[in-house]
């Protein structure tokens, strides 16, 4: 499993560890990934996703999973999250057409 946030696309960065003597050694900066269960209000069920802590804060700030995915760019979402975005959009479209 790759170390990439499924919602924001945050991935591993590389850089140097620089000592006091200015010796440089390559290192990897890993994103803070957390396995979480997020609930979709539109679909009425929960989904397990691997999300960065920053991505989780963004979901809460935007008002939940449905609102986050509505504004999110499909290019940075994982395949599972993009599929979920399309399912939520389709469900909301059907509800608005019925009303």
């Amino acid at each position: 499993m790759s170390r990439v946030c499924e919602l924001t696309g945050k991935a591993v960065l590389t850089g140097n560890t620089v000592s006091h003597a200015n010796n440089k050694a390559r290192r990897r900066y890993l994103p803070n990934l957390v396995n979480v269960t997020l609930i979709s209000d539109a679909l009425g069920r929960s989904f397990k996703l691997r999300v960065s802590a920053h991505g989780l804060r963004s979901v809460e700030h935007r008002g939940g999973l449905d609102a986050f995915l509505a504004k999110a760019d499909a290019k940075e979402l994982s395949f599972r999250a993009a599929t979920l975005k399309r399912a939520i959009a389709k469900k909301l479209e059907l509800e608005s057409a019925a009303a």
Side-chain angles (χ1 to χ4, degrees):
M1 183 181 291
S2 61
R3 296 174 193 226
V4 178
C5 175
E6 292 191 74
L7 296 180
T8 61
K10 271 185 173 286
V12 177
L13 297 174
T14 58
N16 291 315
T17 299
V18 181
S19 69
H20 183 67
N22 205 27
N23 299 327
K24 294 168 187 72
R26 296 300 287 176
R27 63 159 291 181
R28 300 173 73 202
Y29 292 93
L30 303 177
N32 183 10
L33 295 178
V34 185
N35 293 319
V36 294
T37 303
L38 297 172
I39 299 170
S40 169
D41 295 329
L43 299 177
R45 55 180 290 231
S46 59
F47 298 92
K48 289 186 178 183
L49 298 169
R50 193 167 190 215
V51 181
S52 64
H54 171 43
L56 193 56
R57 289 178 60 211
S58 298
V59 168
E60 291 296 321
H61 178 75
R62 288 193 184 168
L65 181 62
D66 297 343
F68 179 86
L69 289 175
K71 287 186 175 181
D73 187 17
K75 291 181 218 166
E76 64 186 21
L77 296 174
S78 69
F79 178 75
R80 289 179 56 217
T83 305
L84 181 58
K85 175 181 172 136
R86 287 190 299 272
I88 291 171
K90 186 176 181 180
K91 178 78 172 185
L92 292 175
E93 183 180 312
L94 288 174
E95 287 178 358
S96 65

